[in-house]
Amino acid sequence: MTDQRLRELFQDLAETLPEGPSHADELWRRRTSGRGRRRWTVVAVLAVAALVVAGITAFPQRVERGTTETPAVTGTPSAPSSAPMDRAPAAREQAGLPAAAGGLPEKWAGIPVVNAASGPVLALAEFDDGRIYLMKAAGRVPLDVSDAAGDGATPLNPNALAPEGTRAAFPQKDAVVVVDLVVGLAHRYPVPGFNEIVLWRGEQLLVEQEKANYLLDLSTGEVRRQPYKGFTGVAGFRDLRIVSPEEGGWTVLQERGSGEVQLDVQNLTAEGSMPVGVLGNHGWQRDDLVARSALARPGLAQGADVVVVADIASGRVVRTLLLPSCGKGGCPVRGWIGHDTVIVESGVRLLSWNITTGALSRIAELPAAVTAYSLRPG
């Protein structure tokens, strides 16, 4: 083939490219640069091979990224987030999940009432008789806080039980009652306002109200008003908050002394952010991770909740779980077991979700007689 014929072919190819400066001369220079047609062919083959290898590395097969080691997770729906997404079975099928070994009694309805029982407090539970009980392996023991409560009620919320399991805190109007579960003594701390949520911070309590937040020092009784308000605190060992400033705004993780990082859930949750002001649905922190649930984006699943686990330092979403048919109360996170398993409330039962494998199992069945509870953080 003559040079003239090759020039004409390059000219025809250039005419098929996007408008702009002529590419014919450039193509011709590449042709006559000394590499030759054979080298062009070798380079092209190697380039295609490299792209194929890169594609396999960057986008592994779905079975490696999103499925789990047990049949509990039924698939990995396509989602804009790059984090693996697991799906829980429908509520009617969750009874078939494997039972978690150890920990809480599986059937709370059958736990007998006893006057005393040895062993650690595994949870607090309020039954429909209006009483709060210490849940232990051998039975449930009534907890009497009437002396310290005075005329105020002692509502049980999911964050009441301290991490060590030896104390419990109950918010009241203008006070917080803290009970020593070992010796049975209670102390009433004055905290002004309509207190609704307590979050343990070691020897301090973060007390949340709609219009104000306070930090209560249990060793001195000192109460300090905080520069924020509402129900945005995270349960756990660190002073962490999840804040969605405005509609359409970015959700951020804020930690005292560490600034804030962005948490991108815009393609995961229904509002594109984490809801604020929701009583009983706080995030839960463990080590360098935080877990929180919200209503899922309709494109992922209709009427489902999504549990998001994110890295605290970077805001990167690590793994997500879709839970169908959560109902009006949603499927809130209720704590952690160790550093890799999240506890999620799903209707009448508690589920454990392993964020390393995606595996689901049943922790406990909650009878209708249980009106509120607080688990001991694992």
Side-chain angles (χ1 to χ4, degrees), residues 45 50 79 93 98 164 180 205 237 252 278 289 315 340-341 365 373 375:
V45 170
E93 300 172 358
E164 72 276 6
D180 186 321
L205 280 172
F237 302 90
V252 295
V278 182
L289 299 175
D340 62 356
T341 301
E365 303 286 333
Y373 65 91
L375 306 177

Side-chain angles (χ1 to χ4, degrees), residues 85-86 265 268-270 274 292-297 300 304-309 319-323 326 331 333 353:
M85 177 175 284
D86 305 311
V265 294
L268 293 171
T269 67
M274 284 295 181
R292 172 77 192 276
S293 73
L295 186 65
R297 182 173 63 85
L300 296 177
D305 266 29
V306 59
V307 179
V308 177
V309 176
R319 200 174 187 112
T320 59
L321 171 67
L322 276 180
L323 293 121
C326 283
C331 291
V333 173
W353 170 46

Side-chain angles (χ1 to χ4, degrees), residues 118-153:
S118 60
V121 177
L122 304 175
L124 300 176
E126 183 175 345
F127 282 69
D128 55 8
D129 60 2
R131 303 195 69 177
I132 296 173
Y133 294 85
L134 309 179
M135 306 294 286
K136 298 189 174 186
R140 51 187 171 107
V141 182
L143 176 63
D144 186 6
V145 294
S146 58
D147 290 341
D151 296 331

Side-chain angles (χ1 to χ4, degrees), residues 184-208:
L185 295 178
H187 187 82
R188 191 171 186 270
Y189 295 88
V191 180
F194 189 75
N195 305 302
E196 296 190 67
I197 295 292
V198 289
L199 297 170
W200 286 89
R201 298 285 187 261
E203 289 304 308
Q204 298 178 323
L205 280 172
L206 177 62
V207 185
E208 294 185 331

Side-chain angles (χ1 to χ4, degrees), residues 159-195:
N159 318 294
L161 191 56
E164 72 276 6
T166 59
R167 292 176 295 177
F170 304 92
Q172 293 183 343
K173 186 178 184 300
D174 296 323
V176 171
V177 175
V178 177
V179 182
D180 186 321
L181 303 178
V182 177
V183 298
L185 295 178
H187 187 82
R188 191 171 186 270
Y189 295 88
V191 180
F194 189 75
N195 305 302

